[in-house]
Amino acid sequence: MRKRVLSLALIPLLLFYAIPVGAAEKEQRTWKDEIVYSLMIDRFFDGNTQNNGDADVNNPSAFNGGDFEGITKKLNYLKDMGYTAIILSPIFANEENGYHGDWVNDFYKTDKHYGTIKEFKKLVNEAHNRDMKVIIDFQANNVGPNHSWLTDPNKQDWFHEEKEISNDSNQEDLETAWIDGLPDLNQDNKETRDYLLDAAKWWITETDIDGYRLNKVQYVAKDFWKDFVETVKSEKSNFYTIGDVQGDADLISSYKKTGIDAFMAYPQNVELKETFAAPDNDLNPVFDAFVKSEDVSESKGSQGLFMDTQNMPRFTKAAADHNENPGTRWKMALSYLYTIPGVPIVFYGSEIALNGDKAPDNHKLMDFKTEQELVDYITKLSELRDMYPALTKGDMELLYEKGGTAVFKRVYGDETIVVAMNNTTETQSIILTDKELEKNKELRGMLNGDLVRSKDNSYSIVIDRETTEVYTLSPKSIINIPYLFVIGLVLVIFGIFIALVIKRSKRNQPK
């Protein structure tokens, strides 16, 4: 009996010593650590049919029924995929059929189709309870086409004179013209400026949102944006501002002095879509665009990387136009977005490879009959970004690039992550020497389980067609004699215990 007690006591003790020590505490979270899901409120999920009003799911140019309550109900869905922040299309009250949010009617009210401000506050609170940030689009360039201010004699100087852009290279023309025929606000007018700045502050203090994505930045003067950023950060010091400047790297860089924290990486997006839409495309243009964008903007990995926005045809369409499997193409594209320096911003429906041409075709209702394989892949990429700081903060160095194959590394402190991408239709072999990676170590694949050990001071990577592998550069694994001894001892003791129990049971059987 004494032996039996000793055996049971030894098992948990030995197993305790076999458990590895946990990881070190994480560093403070910054914008670079975010993984962002961008969505159109009206097209995501209808959580409350009572606020639908004139919504019509059969009319792609009308409200379709998505609302704040629907997003709140799907927060766990987003959290489970690893998203740490959401960007919402403009929440302000819009004119009829302004489902996209561009036709603002009142900057101090939520649109009735989305729900009440109380429901929006609940959404923000529920997101914060899940450690998720809420960012909303702020439209400071224009109001809706039939806004009451247009006929108010006291507000005529709130607008620029009605005209179209006559010269795209003339900045003053861009800032004063009526884009898409929408009344262009005159931010040089003190009353107009004060109204917009006060509204921006009000939403922060009233609802505790975490950031604004600033739309049509290049159509509003830089001095206004400087005031805007200073104003919102005076309300909340860690408030995010993300600029949407649709132009080249030089144009985007010219807005850095406004204080805007980060920008949507449009120059990179052009190359990303073209390259990843089909296999066997050269990866060189993608990395060239990245280097130029980083050098000109000096963003140090803070730009918002994306494949889709609400203003462009879906990436899925580009893949379908090449008769390619959208799921495979999305895996390649997302692998890049999640591992290269920058913040991945994923447009709603990407996880089901939602298709669509120009608006409103690219604004289809979300279908939650998900493509589980793609959802699982996104979840795994998110786990890797969360687990390894090198993927969010690390320096990047391109080690190999030829045709549709590339290898780069991210280094942060003593942590090295190696990413191998094969965007071709054939298996590729790549040799890396001790000039690129420290010798006498091994590459442990975290996505597909590959293992590459250093041999003769080099690493021979073999990567399947149209796949990506993310490796950690680690010490060579060896046979852990003490660990095996402990496990063996546990099994022996357990075996003795079982034998004793069986022997005792036989002894106690009636003869």
Side-chain angles (χ1 to χ4, degrees):
M1 186 60 148
R2 189 175 298 169
K3 288 182 180 180
R4 179 181 178 184
V5 173
L6 179 62
S7 300
L8 291 171
L10 277 173
I11 291 175
L13 182 64
L14 291 171
L15 288 176
F16 173 80
Y17 281 106
I19 297 173
V21 179
E25 187 177 347
K26 288 186 179 181
E27 298 179 12
Q28 185 175 358
R29 177 172 157 192
T30 69
W31 164 243
K32 290 183 182 180
D33 297 310
E34 307 296 348
I35 307 173
V36 186
Y37 191 90
S38 176
L39 61 89
M40 295 191 72
I41 303 168
D42 180 65
R43 302 303 163 94
F44 189 60
F45 185 62
D46 188 356
N48 180 9
T49 57
Q50 299 303 310
N51 57 28
N52 284 358
D54 58 356
D56 181 2
V57 295
N58 297 313
N59 184 354
S61 296
F63 283 95
N64 281 191
D67 49 32
F68 300 140
E69 192 168 336
I71 300 169
T72 303
K73 289 179 177 178
K74 291 295 183 181
L75 285 175
N76 286 340
Y77 164 81
L78 299 175
K79 179 71 175 178
D80 289 346
M81 276 192 287
Y83 291 105
T84 63
I86 54 175
I87 295 179
L88 307 181
S89 56
I91 67 173
F92 313 133
N94 262 242
E95 294 183 18
E96 184 180 0
N97 293 336
Y99 73 91
H100 39 64
D102 278 349
W103 300 346
V104 180
N105 191 45
D106 192 329
F107 283 89
Y108 281 91
K109 291 181 180 178
T110 59
D111 194 275
K112 61 184 180 181
H113 298 86
Y114 304 153
T116 64
I117 191 168
K118 182 179 179 180
E119 289 170 320
F120 179 68
K121 288 180 181 179
K122 180 182 178 182
L123 164 59
V124 175
N125 185 57
E126 290 294 329
H128 288 171
N129 287 341
R130 292 165 175 78
D131 200 22
M132 298 174 71
K133 299 187 183 302
V134 178
I135 300 166
I136 66 173
D137 283 353
F138 195 96
Q139 176 63 273
N141 179 68
N142 58 264
V143 292
N146 303 301
H147 201 288
S148 60
W149 293 346
L150 291 167
T151 56
D152 186 340
N154 297 319
K155 290 185 170 57
Q156 295 307 296
D157 53 0
W158 281 43
F159 299 96
H160 291 119
E161 181 182 353
E162 183 174 2
K163 64 176 182 178
E164 296 180 357
I165 296 177
S166 58
N167 183 359
D168 287 338
S169 61
N170 185 316
Q171 189 58 36
E172 183 179 353
D173 203 12
L174 290 179
E175 293 171 4
T176 58
W178 286 31
I179 310 301
D180 298 324
L182 297 175
D184 195 76
L185 290 168
N186 178 14
Q187 295 82 11
D188 289 334
N189 178 277
K190 187 178 185 305
E191 289 183 349
T192 313
R193 180 177 294 222
D194 288 346
Y195 178 93
L196 293 170
L197 296 180
D198 288 344
K201 288 192 298 183
W202 186 83
W203 284 101
I204 299 171
T205 56
E206 186 69 21
T207 67
D208 197 28
I209 54 174
D210 304 288
Y212 286 129
R213 179 168 59 184
L214 308 174
N215 292 330
K216 300 180 180 177
V217 168
Q218 72 266 42
Y219 300 119
V220 179
K222 293 183 177 70
D223 68 292
F224 171 80
W225 290 124
K226 189 173 186 298
D227 279 356
F228 187 96
V229 173
E230 290 175 354
T231 297
V232 297
K233 287 187 179 293
S234 70
E235 297 297 316
K236 194 172 184 178
S237 60
N238 62 341
F239 197 77
Y240 294 155
T241 51
I242 310 160
D244 193 300
V245 182
Q246 297 182 32
D248 60 22
D250 291 315
L251 177 63
I252 294 173
S253 180
S254 71
Y255 285 87
K256 283 200 67 178
K257 292 182 180 179
T258 63
I260 295 174
D261 296 307
F263 296 89
M264 301 288 284
Y266 278 94
Q268 295 188 54
N269 176 260
V270 174
E271 299 297 346
L272 287 174
K273 274 199 164 182
E274 185 172 330
T275 299
F276 288 116
D280 295 318
N281 286 326
D282 196 336
L283 291 175
N284 181 259
V286 169
F287 290 103
D288 281 351
F290 163 76
V291 171
K292 181 178 180 181
S293 185
E294 286 287 296
D295 287 348
V296 172
S297 66
E298 298 179 347
S299 69
K300 298 180 180 179
S302 63
Q303 293 192 79
L305 303 174
F306 61 97
M307 298 304 296
D308 292 333
T309 71
Q310 67 184 59
N311 299 315
M312 59 179 62
R314 296 260 181 178
F315 172 66
T316 297
K317 182 180 184 303
D321 287 346
H322 287 85
N323 295 317
E324 294 295 331
N325 182 334
T328 302
R329 294 290 87 212
W330 264 113
K331 284 183 179 181
M332 290 301 301
L334 289 165
S335 297
Y336 181 88
L337 294 189
Y338 276 66
T339 58
I340 206 75
V343 178
I345 300 178
V346 181
F347 195 41
Y348 86 96
S350 299
E351 71 271 31
I352 59 170
L354 196 62
N355 204 342
D357 203 339
K358 295 180 180 179
D361 190 47
N362 58 339
H363 303 161
K364 294 174 182 174
L365 279 170
M366 176 65 183
D367 183 352
F368 288 93
K369 295 177 181 178
T370 57
E371 296 288 342
Q372 195 59 42
E373 185 178 350
L374 191 50
V375 169
D376 290 344
Y377 194 79
I378 291 172
T379 304
K380 185 63 177 178
L381 288 173
S382 297
E383 290 172 352
L384 293 180
R385 273 184 68 92
D386 182 59
M387 193 180 304
Y388 298 106
L391 288 175
T392 56
K393 299 180 177 70
D395 295 329
M396 181 268 195
E397 181 184 351
L398 186 62
L399 304 179
Y400 175 92
E401 186 274 313
K402 184 178 181 182
T405 310
V407 180
F408 60 89
K409 69 178 178 181
R410 303 286 306 275
V411 179
Y412 185 72
D414 59 359
E415 181 179 275
T416 299
I417 300 294
V418 178
V419 181
M421 305 191 74
N422 179 8
N423 191 45
T424 76
T425 51
E426 296 181 358
T427 299
Q428 300 291 334
S429 298
I430 304 159
I431 304 294
L432 299 178
T433 69
D434 55 3
K435 293 180 181 179
E436 289 90 24
L437 295 174
E438 186 180 349
K439 61 184 178 181
N440 296 325
K441 290 198 171 186
E442 66 185 24
L443 295 170
R444 299 177 188 169
M446 307 301 289
L447 270 180
N448 304 309
D450 190 21
L451 178 65
V452 181
R453 290 188 171 185
S454 171
K455 185 178 181 181
D456 299 327
N457 298 333
S458 66
Y459 298 83
S460 179
I461 298 174
V462 179
I463 184 165
D464 291 339
R465 54 173 289 177
E466 298 183 72
T467 58
T468 299
E469 182 62 287
V470 179
Y471 300 94
T472 61
L473 183 64
S474 308
K476 280 188 176 180
S477 52
I478 57 175
I479 298 176
N480 192 331
I481 301 298
Y483 179 78
L484 292 180
F485 175 77
V486 169
I487 294 298
L489 187 57
V490 169
L491 293 174
V492 169
I493 293 173
F494 185 69
I496 293 173
F497 168 70
I498 295 297
L500 289 173
V501 170
I502 293 173
K503 186 176 180 180
R504 183 171 181 175
S505 64
K506 285 183 177 180
R507 187 183 303 163
N508 293 332
Q509 286 179 359
K511 297 181 179 179

